[in-house]
């Protein structure tokens, strides 16, 4: 406000001169932000206050940042909207809304979470915009923020994609001319045929086991999918002005931690065998959380739990926010409950799902 008043005073004085015998006051029950009473000047000039007010208003009409009205012997001045915006932007915005409320506290914000080998969808775009807004707010409040892009870069779908690739090209050689759209088309075609050809599902599962076991050829092809997708995503993030502290923190990062997590779950007897799978029964829920499927592979819930372990160890957060669509509410309810049962984080650390959609 002080900056705006100073700007208005300077604009008026630039037209009327600093020696003009008027003062600026906030009007009482008058239209406008500021008022110039012209009574004294009108008496000195032998004019009526209203006539002189119109003369002053005509002179001030040349100032583009203000609108001027006359009320009796007052010239009322109101800044135009664009002037308010400019002053806020230039003078106040860098620190507007900032505080030290979050000093000494750390928050991890997981958002965007785009899927490798697919274009960014509307759901991920919403997560991206909302998550980036939250990180800006938390930083302005003094929190230490770790903004994380939890890439969907692991799972059975990549076994399917590799299997589809091999079927189309006859080998697992990396082809640099392919695009993300090409990879998506491969996956969609493979997925559409799985229902009618059970052998395809078996091929996909076998490829994912090779990926999880570290098969050099499969890993190299998978890495090419990741690199190709990241080039596209990072260009989009730059265009949107989105930043991350960790843009490549995909599910694959946490795969090496899964074995220790499963061992801990079995040792503590939090996890039990069920129909060949290893699961964590969740109190109050009709279905358990699956840690390991009957074929020996893991799912993204397992890697979400490993990610919590990693974030607690690396960042010591007071809060972890997941900016993910409403459809994932059950998933995160299970993951949060399992994390508490497995004692993966201190009691003080809050886990929260920021829902949208």
């Amino acid at each position: 406000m002080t900056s705006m008043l100073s700007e208005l005073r300077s604009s008026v004085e630039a037209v009327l001169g600093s020696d003009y015998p008027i003062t600026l006051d906030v009007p009482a029950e008058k239209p406008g932000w500021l008022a110039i009473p012209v009574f004294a000047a009108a008496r000195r000039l032998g004019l009526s206050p209203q006539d002189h007010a119109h003369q002053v208003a005509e002179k001030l009409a040349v100032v583009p940042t203000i609108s001027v009205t006359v009320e009796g012997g007052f010239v009322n001045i109101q800044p135009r909207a664009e002037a308010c915006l400019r002053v806020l932007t230039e003078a106040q915005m860098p620190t507007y809304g900032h505080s030290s409320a979050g000093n000494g506290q750390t928050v991890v914000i997981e958002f965007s979470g785009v899927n490798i080998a697919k274009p960014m969808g509307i759901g991920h775009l919403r997560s991206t915009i909302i998550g980036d807004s939250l990180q800006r707010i938390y930083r302005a409040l003094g929190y230490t923020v770790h903004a994380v892009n939890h890439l969907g870069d692991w799972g059975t779908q990549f076994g399917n994609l590799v299997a589809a690739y091999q079927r189309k090209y006859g080998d697992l050689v990396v082809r640099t001319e392919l695009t993300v759209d090409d990879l998506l088309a491969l996956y969609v075609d493979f997925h559409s045929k799985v229902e009618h050809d059970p052998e395809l599902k078996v091929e996909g599962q076998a490829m994912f086991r090779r990926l999880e076991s570290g098969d050099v050829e499969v890993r190299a092809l998978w890495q090419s999918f990741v690199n190709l997708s990241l080039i596209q995503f990072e260009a989009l993030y730059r265009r949107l002005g989105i930043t991350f502290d960790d843009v490549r923190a995909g599910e694959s990062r946490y795969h090496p931690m899964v074995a220790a997590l499963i061992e801990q779950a079995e040792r503590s007897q939090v996890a039990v065998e069920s129909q060949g799978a290893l699961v964590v029964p969740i109190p109050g829920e009709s279905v358990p959380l699956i840690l390991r499927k009957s074929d020996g592979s893991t799912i993204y819930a397992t890697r979400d739990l490993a990610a919590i372990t990693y974030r607690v160890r690396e960042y010591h957060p007071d809060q972890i926010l997941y900016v993910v669509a409403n459809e994932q509410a059950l998933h995160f309810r299970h993951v949060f409950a399992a994390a508490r049962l497995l004692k993966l984080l201190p009691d003080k650390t809050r886990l929260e799902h920021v829902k949208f959609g």
Side-chain angles (χ1 to χ4, degrees):
M1 178 65 77
T2 301
S3 176
M4 180 60 73
L5 293 177
S6 176
E7 176 119 347
L8 290 181
R9 180 182 290 275
S10 297
S11 298
V12 170
E13 290 181 347
V15 174
L16 302 180
S18 58
D19 294 331
Y20 200 84
I22 59 174
T23 59
L24 289 108
D25 299 298
V26 177
E29 300 181 357
K30 300 286 184 181
W33 276 32
L34 297 175
I36 305 173
V38 301
F39 300 99
R43 282 196 302 271
R44 181 172 60 82
L45 295 171
L47 299 172
S48 72
Q50 187 163 6
D51 287 344
H52 188 50
H54 281 289
Q55 291 177 345
V56 172
E58 288 177 9
K59 291 182 179 180
L60 292 175
V62 300
V63 181
T65 58
I66 62 174
S67 60
V68 182
T69 58
V70 171
E71 183 79 15
F74 291 88
V75 178
N76 296 316
I77 299 174
Q78 189 171 31
R80 298 186 186 278
E82 58 269 26
C84 294
L85 180 60
R86 178 173 55 78
V87 170
L88 282 173
T89 301
E90 293 177 355
Q92 297 179 23
M93 287 301 286
T95 57
Y96 181 78
H98 286 231
S99 79
S100 58
N103 282 5
Q105 298 183 66
T106 298
V107 59
V108 174
I109 305 178
E110 176 188 309
F111 63 98
S112 196
V114 286
N115 291 317
I116 294 302
K118 295 180 181 178
M120 181 185 289
I122 186 64
H124 293 110
L125 179 60
R126 284 188 294 175
S127 170
T128 301
I129 300 302
I130 294 170
D132 186 61
S133 298
L134 285 171
Q135 75 153 319
R136 292 168 187 261
I137 292 170
Y138 272 83
R139 292 185 196 279
L141 293 176
Y143 286 82
T144 297
V145 176
H146 296 278
V148 177
N149 191 356
H150 190 69
L151 298 172
D153 66 352
W154 204 253
T156 305
Q157 67 269 31
F158 291 100
N160 292 341
L161 181 56
V162 173
Y165 188 98
Q166 186 176 54
R167 280 199 165 223
K168 180 174 178 62
Y169 298 108
D171 56 43
L172 298 178
V173 176
V174 174
R175 289 168 171 79
T176 57
E177 71 274 13
L178 295 183
T179 66
V180 170
D181 288 338
D182 293 329
L183 298 180
L184 178 62
L186 268 178
Y187 180 81
V188 170
D189 180 65
F190 184 91
H191 187 71
S192 68
K193 296 174 180 176
V194 165
E195 291 184 15
H196 309 291
D197 187 354
E199 184 60 30
L200 291 178
K201 183 176 181 180
V202 174
E203 288 181 23
Q205 291 172 336
M207 281 299 186
F208 182 51
R209 285 195 295 273
R210 287 177 63 180
L211 181 61
E212 283 205 305
S213 65
D215 182 290
V216 174
E217 194 175 26
V218 175
R219 279 289 181 99
L221 184 60
W222 165 82
Q223 188 63 58
S224 74
F225 299 160
V226 173
N227 294 341
L228 177 62
S229 300
L230 284 174
I231 290 171
Q232 184 180 85
F233 294 142
E234 289 173 352
L236 182 56
Y237 292 139
R238 284 194 299 273
R239 185 175 180 184
L240 294 172
I242 306 295
T243 60
F244 296 90
D245 296 291
D246 200 342
V247 73
R248 295 172 178 251
E251 291 182 63
S252 60
R253 166 182 289 178
Y254 311 110
H255 170 64
M257 304 172 61
V258 163
L261 174 69
I262 290 175
E263 181 184 351
Q264 176 185 345
E266 291 179 311
R267 187 174 61 250
S268 64
Q269 298 184 334
V270 170
V272 297
E273 293 283 343
S274 175
Q275 300 179 358
L278 185 68
V279 305
V280 175
I282 305 297
E285 299 286 353
S286 58
V287 294
L289 177 143
I290 299 174
L291 277 180
R292 185 179 61 213
K293 296 192 290 187
S294 57
D295 66 0
S297 61
T298 58
I299 67 172
Y300 64 98
T302 322
R303 296 182 286 277
D304 272 342
L305 290 169
I308 289 174
T309 303
Y310 176 91
R311 291 164 185 172
V312 168
R313 185 185 71 208
E314 295 295 320
Y315 307 131
H316 310 289
D318 298 278
Q319 185 178 18
I320 304 177
L321 295 179
Y322 297 80
V323 186
V324 185
N326 287 338
E327 290 82 358
Q328 295 294 313
L330 176 62
H331 166 76
F332 282 107
R333 199 162 67 237
H334 281 192
V335 167
F336 294 171
R340 296 296 182 192
L341 291 170
L342 290 166
K343 303 185 185 307
L344 300 183
L345 68 170
D347 291 338
K348 68 155 189 167
T349 304
R350 304 188 304 281
L351 297 172
E352 298 183 45
H353 175 200
V354 180
K355 308 177 186 70
F356 63 86

